[in-house]
Amino acid sequence: MRSVTHLRSLQALDLAIRAGSLKAAARELGVTPAAVGQRIRALEDYLGTDLLLRGRSGLTPTPELNLVLDDLKQAFDALERVTEALDFQRTSEIHIVADPDWAELWLMPRLPAFRAAFPNTLFCINGLGDVAMRLGQPDLRVTYEDGPGESLFRDVLVPVTGLDNVRRMINEDPAVQMEGMPLLHLKTHFDRTDHPGWVEWFDRFGHRTTGAARGVHYANARLAIEAVRQNVGFLVCGLSLLLKDLETGTVALPFPAPEHLVAPHPYVLRLRSDADRRPQLQRFLTWLRKESEDTSNRIREMSVPNLQRGSLIPSFSSAANASCAWAPDRLMD
């Protein structure tokens, strides 16, 4: 086992114990719970002993881990202090831990614009990027939750599909327009109550009376949206994650955006304590806040009925037997 992997495995173990679950540790690291579990299992295989007991009440250390648990916590507390002192000298690096869907579908498509303006900035986003992930606290976190921090924007959840699928809805009865249509879901739609999906959307807006929970389940929005682009089916997804695809015409909204669900939580920004002393980070934060404000405005313009400046694509049927695929006029550009 390479030393860096060994250290990351210890970090995953430490966070899992502190947070009480693999899911909570994964949110801290910006990776999936499966990745956290793999790191811990790799360490257990390397040492030849179990380190965690997994039960209904959560994670508890084994007797073997209990013997060194205090040392493990003290070691990572010390590493945190060391990295805070030394990382201040790495002024060109920005380390981000963020909600994976937000990072992949909102941040990454926009990041080239910032890189063009500040080409010397190096990024590590959820452990990947120009530089290796550091063990200490990231420069900033962006999470989907209500809690301490600065709210960037609150999303709305809308149906989305490929252009060919919209054509399939022509001449369908508006009341049951989605009956028999292939539905796509995110695992979080069923695993977490704060991620509404098709069940909640149909309950509010109709268009289908049976089988709202049927269909293919995807681990993340990136995979699901790629399936949408390929006309595999219909998905309920955050509008902010779709703006670039809507702009390029690779996906379409089969219903007007005002037929949406409001996301239960906003995307929240949290910063390291020394953020105000790092000019490169401050430049990025200025850019991030401006992009977030633009996104919030676009969501509002598209989803509030009396503010719409979009048009309906002709020839597709809708709930009003007119048009079905709603597309903004180049997203109000």
Side-chain angles (χ1 to χ4, degrees):
M1 178 179 288
R2 293 181 302 149
S3 59
V4 64
T5 305
H6 184 77
L7 197 54
R8 287 184 177 179
S9 295
L10 286 168
Q11 180 191 33
L13 178 65
D14 176 64
L15 285 173
I17 289 293
R18 292 181 191 238
S21 71
L22 297 184
K23 285 186 178 180
R27 287 195 294 271
E28 288 293 308
L29 291 171
V31 299
T32 64
V36 174
Q38 288 169 0
R39 292 182 188 183
I40 294 173
R41 283 193 295 274
L43 183 60
E44 290 175 329
D45 291 342
Y46 176 75
L47 296 173
T49 185
D50 291 336
L51 298 172
L52 292 177
L53 298 174
R54 300 162 178 85
R56 293 182 179 178
S57 59
L59 299 177
T60 56
T62 61
E64 291 80 6
L65 179 57
N66 257 327
L67 292 174
V68 296
L69 194 57
D70 287 343
D71 289 338
L72 180 67
K73 291 180 178 179
Q74 291 175 18
F76 274 98
D77 287 342
L79 276 173
E80 177 68 24
R81 293 191 296 271
V82 170
T83 53
E84 283 186 2
L86 295 181
D87 283 342
F88 187 75
Q89 304 172 38
R90 301 163 71 178
T91 56
S92 64
E93 297 181 12
I94 296 177
H95 291 253
I96 301 171
V97 169
D99 175 270
D101 288 340
W102 180 90
E104 292 184 3
L105 297 170
W106 188 89
L107 177 61
M108 295 303 290
R110 292 166 173 77
L111 202 54
F114 181 84
R115 288 182 180 274
F118 303 99
N120 295 325
T121 305
L122 303 176
F123 286 92
C124 178
I125 301 172
N126 289 344
L128 301 173
D130 308 312
V131 292
M133 181 179 180
R134 65 185 177 206
L135 290 174
Q137 289 294 314
D139 295 305
L140 63 97
R141 294 182 184 274
V142 175
T143 55
Y144 171 73
E145 62 181 353
D146 285 307
E150 173 186 343
S151 177
L152 293 176
F153 60 87
R154 187 181 294 266
D155 216 341
V156 298
L157 310 174
V158 296
V160 62
T161 192
L163 298 180
D164 288 346
N165 277 333
V166 175
R167 295 183 178 93
R168 297 175 59 187
M169 302 171 67
I170 294 175
N171 299 324
E172 294 290 340
D173 180 354
V176 290
Q177 201 166 23
M178 289 292 291
E179 291 290 352
M181 295 296 176
L183 302 181
L184 310 180
H185 308 272
L186 301 179
K187 288 182 65 178
T188 52
H189 290 165
F190 300 93
D191 295 342
R192 295 178 56 178
T193 57
D194 58 353
H195 283 72
W198 276 121
V199 172
E200 293 80 6
W201 194 90
F202 286 133
D203 183 61
R204 180 165 180 179
F205 298 108
H207 304 295
R208 183 167 177 151
T209 59
T210 62
R214 297 174 189 164
V216 182
H217 294 205
Y218 290 86
N220 57 60
R222 175 180 59 81
L223 295 175
I225 291 176
E226 180 55 35
V228 167
R229 296 183 189 118
Q230 302 302 319
N231 293 287
V232 174
F234 295 73
L235 175 72
V236 169
C237 183
L239 181 57
S240 73
L241 309 182
L242 302 169
L243 292 176
K244 293 297 183 182
D245 278 289
L246 289 169
E247 187 176 39
T248 57
T250 54
V251 302
L253 304 184
F255 299 96
E259 293 190 18
H260 65 262
L261 303 173
V262 177
H265 308 304
Y267 289 108
V268 172
L269 169 68
R270 287 183 290 158
L271 302 174
R272 276 175 55 151
S273 58
D274 62 358
D276 60 341
R277 294 185 287 141
R278 304 188 65 182
Q280 190 80 320
L281 179 57
Q282 287 300 311
R283 284 191 286 269
F284 177 74
L285 291 172
T286 298
W287 173 85
L288 178 64
R289 288 167 175 137
K290 179 61 169 62
E291 289 292 318
S292 297
E293 181 182 7
D294 289 346
T295 296
S296 183
N297 289 337
R298 289 192 172 197
I299 289 172
R300 183 168 175 268
E301 289 169 351
M302 293 174 67
S303 61
V304 177
N306 63 352
L307 293 179
Q308 285 183 29
R309 289 187 284 150
S311 63
L312 297 175
I313 297 176
S315 80
F316 299 139
S317 66
S318 73
N321 278 330
S323 296
C324 175
W326 187 89
D329 291 327
R330 301 300 294 173
L331 294 182
M332 284 67 66
D333 281 341

